[in-house]
């Protein structure tokens, strides 16, 4: 997807920046916990089309864990 297009996109709910998941072809809003689909390179910015992120998807990626709890 176009980088310039991506830079213009914001979440329709919170107006926050979105994270583009290239593999999943989704735009993620961690604030709302939603993933907007990208269909044929066209982002679908509709909350009713978005899927809910799983709990562990909402968490920011950790830099690495030491040890095993
Ligand atoms: Zn949002």
């Amino acid at each position: 997807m176009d980088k310039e297009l991506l830079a213009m996109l914001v979440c329709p709910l919170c107006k926050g920046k979105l994270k583009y998941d290239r593999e999943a072809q989704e735009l993620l809003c961690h604030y709302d916990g939603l993933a907007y689909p990208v269909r044929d390179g066209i982002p679908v910015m509709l909350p009713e089309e978005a899927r809910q992120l799983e709990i562990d998807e909402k968490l920011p990626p950790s830099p690495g864990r030491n040890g095993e709890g």
Side-chain angles (χ1 to χ4, degrees):
M1 194 168 61
D2 222 325
K3 261 191 181 176
E4 290 183 21
L5 176 63
L6 181 61
M8 278 167 40
L9 290 171
V10 295
C11 174
L13 295 178
C14 68
K15 314 295 182 193
K17 277 198 172 181
L18 297 164
K19 184 182 188 302
Y20 179 43
D21 187 329
R22 190 183 293 268
E23 284 181 25
Q25 288 292 294
E26 287 177 331
L27 289 161
L28 310 180
C29 176
H30 287 282
Y31 183 85
D32 293 307
L34 292 173
Y36 298 92
V38 179
R39 293 180 187 145
D40 299 324
I42 300 168
V44 182
M45 305 310 298
L46 298 171
E48 58 265 35
E49 293 285 326
R51 76 176 175 87
Q52 296 272 334
L53 292 178
E54 305 295 328
I55 297 285
D56 60 341
E57 288 181 288
K58 287 187 188 179
L59 296 174
S62 55
R65 296 174 187 161
N66 11 329
E68 298 171 37

